[in-house]
Protein backbone atom coordinates (compact mmCIF):
# COMPACT_ATOMS: atom_id res chain seq x y z
CA UNK A 1 0.00 0.00 0.00
CA UNK A 2 1.28 3.48 -0.82
CA UNK A 3 2.63 5.30 2.25
CA UNK A 4 1.23 8.59 0.95
CA UNK A 5 -2.29 7.07 0.97
CA UNK A 6 -1.80 5.74 4.52
CA UNK A 7 -0.71 9.16 5.80
CA UNK A 8 -3.74 10.80 4.11
CA UNK A 9 -6.08 8.17 5.54
CA UNK A 10 -4.86 8.99 9.09
CA UNK A 11 -6.50 12.43 8.82
CA UNK A 12 -9.92 12.20 10.60
CA UNK A 13 -11.56 14.73 8.24
CA UNK A 14 -10.58 12.69 5.18
CA UNK A 15 -11.73 9.47 6.83
CA UNK A 16 -15.11 11.10 7.56
CA UNK A 17 -15.48 12.33 3.98
CA UNK A 18 -14.68 8.81 2.66
CA UNK A 19 -17.30 7.31 4.97
CA UNK A 20 -19.86 9.95 3.93
CA UNK A 21 -19.15 9.28 0.24
CA UNK A 22 -19.65 5.54 0.66
CA UNK A 23 -22.85 6.19 2.65
CA UNK A 24 -24.14 8.45 -0.14
CA UNK A 25 -23.41 5.75 -2.73
CA UNK A 26 -25.27 3.19 -0.62
CA UNK A 27 -28.30 5.48 -0.23
CA UNK A 28 -28.37 6.17 -3.98
CA UNK A 29 -28.24 2.42 -4.77
CA UNK A 30 -31.01 1.76 -2.24
CA UNK A 31 -33.15 4.53 -3.77
CA UNK A 32 -32.67 3.11 -7.27
CA UNK A 33 -33.54 -0.42 -6.13
CA UNK A 34 -36.69 0.73 -4.31
CA UNK A 35 -37.87 2.84 -7.25
CA UNK A 36 -37.36 -0.07 -9.68
CA UNK A 37 -39.24 -2.52 -7.44
CA UNK A 38 -42.08 -0.01 -6.95
CA UNK A 39 -42.49 0.48 -10.67
CA UNK A 40 -43.07 -3.23 -11.26
CA UNK A 41 -45.40 -3.52 -8.26
CA UNK A 42 -47.49 -0.57 -9.45
CA UNK A 43 -47.89 -2.07 -12.94
CA UNK A 44 -48.83 -5.41 -11.40
CA UNK A 45 -51.51 -3.78 -9.23
CA UNK A 46 -52.96 -1.92 -12.23
CA UNK A 47 -53.33 -5.19 -14.19
CA UNK A 48 -55.26 -7.02 -11.40
CA UNK A 49 -59.07 -7.39 -11.70
CA UNK A 50 -61.08 -5.33 -9.18
CA UNK A 51 -61.53 -6.93 -5.77
CA UNK A 52 -65.06 -8.06 -4.72
CA UNK A 53 -66.81 -5.87 -2.19
CA UNK A 54 -66.80 -7.00 1.43
CA UNK A 55 -70.32 -7.84 2.77
CA UNK A 56 -71.41 -5.87 5.77
CA UNK A 57 -71.64 -7.91 8.95
CA UNK A 58 -74.35 -7.45 11.59
CA UNK A 59 -73.30 -5.71 14.77
CA UNK A 60 -72.96 -8.15 17.64
CA UNK A 61 -75.02 -7.45 20.73
CA UNK A 62 -73.53 -8.17 24.12
CA UNK A 63 -75.57 -9.59 27.03
CA UNK A 64 -75.92 -7.26 30.02
CA UNK A 65 -73.18 -7.43 32.60
CA UNK A 66 -74.06 -9.07 35.95
CA UNK A 67 -74.27 -6.74 38.91
CA UNK A 68 -71.38 -6.69 41.34
CA UNK A 69 -72.37 -7.97 44.81
CA UNK A 70 -71.58 -5.75 47.78
CA UNK A 71 -69.07 -7.27 50.14
CA UNK A 72 -69.12 -6.73 53.93
CA UNK A 73 -66.52 -4.34 55.26
CA UNK A 74 -63.91 -6.13 57.40
CA UNK A 75 -63.33 -4.88 60.91
CA UNK A 76 -59.84 -4.82 62.32
CA UNK A 77 -59.30 -6.17 65.82
CA UNK A 78 -58.14 -3.63 68.36
CA UNK A 79 -54.52 -3.91 69.32
CA UNK A 80 -53.72 -4.39 72.99
CA UNK A 81 -52.09 -1.37 74.56
CA UNK A 82 -49.07 -2.00 76.73
CA UNK A 83 -47.70 0.55 79.12
CA UNK A 84 -44.12 1.48 78.34
CA UNK A 85 -41.88 1.47 81.42
CA UNK A 86 -40.53 4.88 82.26
CA UNK A 87 -36.77 5.21 82.14
CA UNK A 88 -34.87 7.09 84.84
CA UNK A 89 -33.51 10.48 83.78
CA UNK A 90 -29.73 10.43 83.48
CA UNK A 91 -27.85 12.79 85.68
CA UNK A 92 -24.42 14.15 84.79
CA UNK A 93 -21.72 14.98 87.32
CA UNK A 94 -20.96 18.71 87.67
CA UNK A 95 -18.18 20.13 85.50
CA UNK A 96 -14.87 20.89 87.23
CA UNK A 97 -14.16 24.57 87.76
CA UNK A 98 -11.56 26.27 85.56
CA UNK A 99 -8.70 28.27 87.09
CA UNK A 100 -9.14 32.00 86.51
CA UNK A 101 -7.23 33.59 83.64
CA UNK A 102 -4.59 36.19 84.57
CA UNK A 103 -5.67 39.74 83.80
CA UNK A 104 -2.16 41.23 83.33
CA UNK A 105 0.04 39.62 80.70
CA UNK A 106 3.78 39.68 81.61
CA UNK A 107 5.93 41.49 79.06
CA UNK A 108 8.13 39.18 77.02
CA UNK A 109 11.82 39.97 77.00
CA UNK A 110 13.95 38.98 74.02
CA UNK A 111 17.75 38.56 74.14
CA UNK A 112 19.68 41.39 72.45
CA UNK A 113 20.61 40.92 68.79
CA UNK A 114 24.27 40.22 68.10
CA UNK A 115 26.20 43.17 66.66
CA UNK A 116 27.19 43.09 63.01
CA UNK A 117 30.85 43.55 62.04
CA UNK A 118 31.63 46.84 60.30
CA UNK A 119 31.88 46.68 56.50
CA UNK A 120 35.03 48.04 54.89
CA UNK A 121 34.51 51.31 53.09
CA UNK A 122 37.32 50.98 50.54
CA UNK A 123 36.96 48.11 48.10
CA UNK A 124 40.19 46.85 46.56
CA UNK A 125 40.29 47.09 42.78
CA UNK A 126 40.20 43.71 41.05
CA UNK A 127 42.66 43.09 38.26
CA UNK A 128 41.83 40.59 35.55
CA UNK A 129 44.37 38.74 33.40
CA UNK A 130 44.50 39.87 29.74
CA UNK A 131 42.29 38.00 27.27
CA UNK A 132 44.05 35.65 24.85
CA UNK A 133 44.26 36.92 21.29
CA UNK A 134 41.82 35.44 18.77
CA UNK A 135 43.07 33.97 15.49
CA UNK A 136 42.01 36.03 12.46
CA UNK A 137 38.74 34.98 10.76
CA UNK A 138 38.86 33.97 7.10
CA UNK A 139 37.61 36.70 4.79
CA UNK A 140 36.46 34.39 1.97
CA UNK A 141 33.73 31.91 2.81
CA UNK A 142 33.63 28.75 0.65
CA UNK A 143 30.43 28.47 -1.37
CA UNK A 144 28.28 25.41 -0.61
CA UNK A 145 26.74 23.54 -3.53
CA UNK A 146 23.50 21.66 -3.06
CA UNK A 147 22.11 18.94 -5.34
CA UNK A 148 19.14 20.04 -7.50
CA UNK A 149 15.63 19.47 -6.09
CA UNK A 150 13.62 16.62 -7.64
CA UNK A 151 10.88 17.76 -9.98
CA UNK A 152 7.29 17.46 -8.78
CA UNK A 153 4.96 15.21 -10.83
CA UNK A 154 2.29 17.13 -12.64
CA UNK A 155 -1.35 16.62 -11.65
CA UNK A 156 -3.50 15.49 -14.60
CA UNK A 157 -6.25 17.90 -15.59
CA UNK A 158 -9.54 15.98 -15.24
CA UNK A 159 -12.61 17.76 -16.64
CA UNK A 160 -15.39 18.11 -14.07
CA UNK A 161 -18.93 17.95 -15.53
CA UNK A 162 -21.10 20.95 -14.76
CA UNK A 163 -24.47 19.35 -15.65
CA UNK A 164 -26.21 16.33 -14.15
CA UNK A 165 -26.99 13.69 -16.80
CA UNK A 166 -30.56 12.43 -16.96
CA UNK A 167 -31.04 8.87 -15.73
CA UNK A 168 -33.68 7.12 -17.92
CA UNK A 169 -34.81 4.53 -15.34
CA UNK A 170 -35.66 7.24 -12.78
CA UNK A 171 -38.08 9.03 -15.13
CA UNK A 172 -41.83 8.16 -14.95
CA UNK A 173 -43.22 5.44 -17.27
CA UNK A 174 -44.95 6.47 -20.50
CA UNK A 175 -48.62 7.45 -20.08
CA UNK A 176 -49.92 5.09 -22.80
CA UNK A 177 -49.31 1.77 -20.97
Amino acid sequence: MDLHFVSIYKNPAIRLSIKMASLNCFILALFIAVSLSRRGAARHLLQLPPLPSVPSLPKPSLPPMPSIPTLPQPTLPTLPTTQQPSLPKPSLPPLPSMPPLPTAVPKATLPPLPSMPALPTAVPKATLPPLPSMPPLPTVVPKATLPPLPSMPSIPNIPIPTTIPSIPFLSPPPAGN
Side-chain angles (χ1 to χ4, degrees):
M1 185 176 276
D2 188 16
L3 290 178
H4 182 65
F5 177 74
V6 171
S7 66
I8 288 175
Y9 195 71
K10 285 183 180 178
N11 187 338
I14 292 177
R15 272 194 305 207
L16 179 65
S17 63
I18 290 172
K19 287 180 184 177
M20 291 298 292
S22 58
L23 178 67
N24 288 344
C25 287
F26 174 73
I27 290 173
L28 179 64
L30 185 68
F31 176 73
I32 291 170
V34 168
S35 64
L36 288 177
S37 66
R38 270 197 191 159
R39 180 193 248 169
R43 282 198 180 139
H44 180 69
L45 285 176
L46 288 174
Q47 295 170 356
L48 287 177
L51 294 174
S53 63
V54 178
S56 60
L57 297 174
K59 278 198 167 183
S61 61
L62 295 174
M65 296 291 289
S67 63
I68 299 173
T70 57
L71 298 174
Q73 291 294 330
T75 57
L76 295 174
T78 58
L79 295 174
T81 59
T82 58
Q83 189 70 17
Q84 292 288 334
S86 62
L87 296 174
K89 283 205 168 196
S91 62
L92 296 175
L95 292 174
S97 64
M98 295 288 293
L101 292 174
T103 56
V105 178
K107 218 172 199 182
T109 57
L110 295 175
L113 292 174
S115 63
M116 293 290 292
L119 294 174
T121 56
V123 179
K125 207 166 200 159
T127 57
L128 296 175
L131 291 173
S133 64
M134 294 290 292
L137 293 175
T139 56
V140 178
V141 179
K143 200 167 201 159
T145 58
L146 296 175
L149 292 174
S151 63
M152 294 292 291
S154 63
I155 299 173
N157 189 5
I158 301 172
I160 298 174
T162 57
T163 60
I164 299 174
S166 64
I167 303 173
F169 52 81
L170 289 181
S171 58
N177 291 352

